[in-house]
Amino acid sequence: MGDQSARIDSTGEQETSSTRPEPVRDAYGISNSFLCSEDQDLWSQLHPSNVAVGTHKELESLRKKLKEDYGMKDQLWKLLKRFLQGHDQEHVVNKDFLSFHGFIAVTKWFGSFKRMKKGNTCYCLQQVENLMKKGGVKRGKSFVSWFAGFITNDEAYKYLRKEKCGTFLVRFSESLSSEGGFCVAVKLKDDEVLQYQIKGDYEQACNGERYNANLRLNSELKEARDIGPCTNIVEFVDALRCGVDIEGDFETFCPGLPLNATFQGYS
């Protein structure tokens, strides 16, 4: 886009930063703005549902488009589909449809669907695939990931409270969902679980040849400055596990997370 201060809203109108109104946000805090014109074009090309034309699209039309444009693998689609629908799990009546807000949320967490300058892929697919390949370890025939996806603060506590010290997981942040934020939770002594927010710059993440969300701990702690900025969530977790001087050891992946079955067999 020539004017980087211009934004495209859900109606298709383009406004400058000086004239555009504040973006409307849904109950989850997700803004109604596309990240770029390519995402708007993709959304407009998807087949509209007969439920609410313009606010819902058929998931199958997105799958076909991504497979046609980028040769997307079926296993990668399984995880992306979970992310696209997971944001609205409690509100989805028909699982065959994708909401506009789910589409926007995924681009804030993993980047735009626009084609990268190098390689036959887009930013979003590259980042989701990177998570599938590097977001865990093989244990025998199983793949155990540290990424929990859409679980709440309370659910993270329940997963971790009985685990040994240093066990951790990463999830989508509820309070930072409008900013593409994550949250890392780690088990301390007794039943204590500490949770840190992770915040980046989703608006600038896809402006270069490589994806770079500039992820950092969203904390005033002096020690938090030792982590990042990191280009993506996988790199961020690698930095955490290098023994940074914040509370929590980040040694062991939390077992039994809901996405492990989806990760299985991809790496």
Side-chain angles (χ1 to χ4, degrees), residues 43-226:
W43 180 260
S44 67
Q45 292 172 34
L46 302 180
H47 197 279
S49 76
N50 56 8
V51 178
V53 175
T55 61
H56 288 74
K57 302 286 185 175
E58 292 181 1
L59 271 167
E60 179 61 14
S61 65
L62 177 60
R63 185 194 70 80
K64 288 181 177 179
K65 182 65 176 171
L66 295 178
K67 192 173 184 66
E68 175 185 332
D69 289 353
Y70 304 117
M72 178 186 64
K73 298 177 182 178
D74 291 342
Q75 190 71 13
L76 180 56
W77 171 247
K78 289 180 182 179
L79 184 59
L80 178 60
K81 182 179 178 182
R82 289 284 297 270
F83 294 156
L84 288 165
Q85 289 190 308
H87 172 260
D88 299 305
Q89 270 309 299
E90 296 181 2
H91 306 277
V92 173
V93 176
N94 191 324
K95 303 296 184 181
D96 294 331
F97 294 115
L98 161 67
S99 76
F100 176 76
H101 295 299
F103 180 90
I104 294 296
V106 164
T107 62
K108 291 188 175 185
W109 279 311
F110 297 108
S112 167
F113 285 101
K114 72 178 179 181
R115 184 178 296 275
M116 299 182 70
K117 293 181 179 179
K118 294 183 179 180
N120 183 35
T121 190
C122 62
Y123 291 93
C124 185
L125 289 183
Q126 183 205 54
Q127 290 307 304
V128 175
E129 184 171 26
N130 187 52
L131 178 62
M132 290 197 78
K133 287 182 174 180
K134 301 178 181 179
V137 294
K138 280 188 175 181
R139 290 180 181 168
K141 295 182 179 180
S142 300
F143 186 84
V144 181
S145 175
W146 40 257
F147 194 68
F150 294 96
I151 66 171
T152 65
N153 188 314
D154 291 341
E155 288 170 331
Y157 174 76
K158 290 177 181 178
Y159 273 110
L160 291 168
R161 62 187 296 266
K162 297 300 183 182
E163 299 298 328
K164 66 179 182 180
C165 291
T167 303
F168 74 97
L169 61 82
V170 176
R171 61 182 177 85
F172 293 124
S173 170
E174 298 165 280
S175 58
L176 290 179
S177 60
S178 65
E179 302 173 65
F182 299 90
C183 184
V184 57
V186 60
K187 171 66 184 298
L188 304 181
K189 61 183 179 180
D190 301 323
D191 285 345
E192 186 179 0
V193 173
L194 188 61
Q195 305 207 38
Y196 296 97
Q197 289 182 327
I198 306 166
K199 185 177 180 180
D201 186 356
Y202 70 88
E203 291 186 307
Q204 302 298 320
C206 302
N207 284 353
E209 290 188 2
R210 297 176 63 242
Y211 180 83
N212 185 3
N214 284 305
L215 295 178
R216 286 185 175 275
L217 279 183
N218 187 34
S219 171
E220 297 299 324
L221 292 174
K222 180 180 179 181
E223 295 83 356
R225 300 173 190 170
D226 296 334

Side-chain angles (χ1 to χ4, degrees), residues 24-39:
V24 177
R25 299 180 185 276
D26 71 352
Y28 295 87
I30 300 298
S31 165
N32 68 343
S33 297
F34 291 102
L35 292 187
C36 59
S37 59
E38 289 87 348
D39 285 347

Side-chain angles (χ1 to χ4, degrees), residues 235-246:
E235 183 180 304
F236 187 92
V237 170
D238 288 344
L240 273 181
R241 300 186 71 209
C242 286
V244 293
D245 189 22
I246 62 172

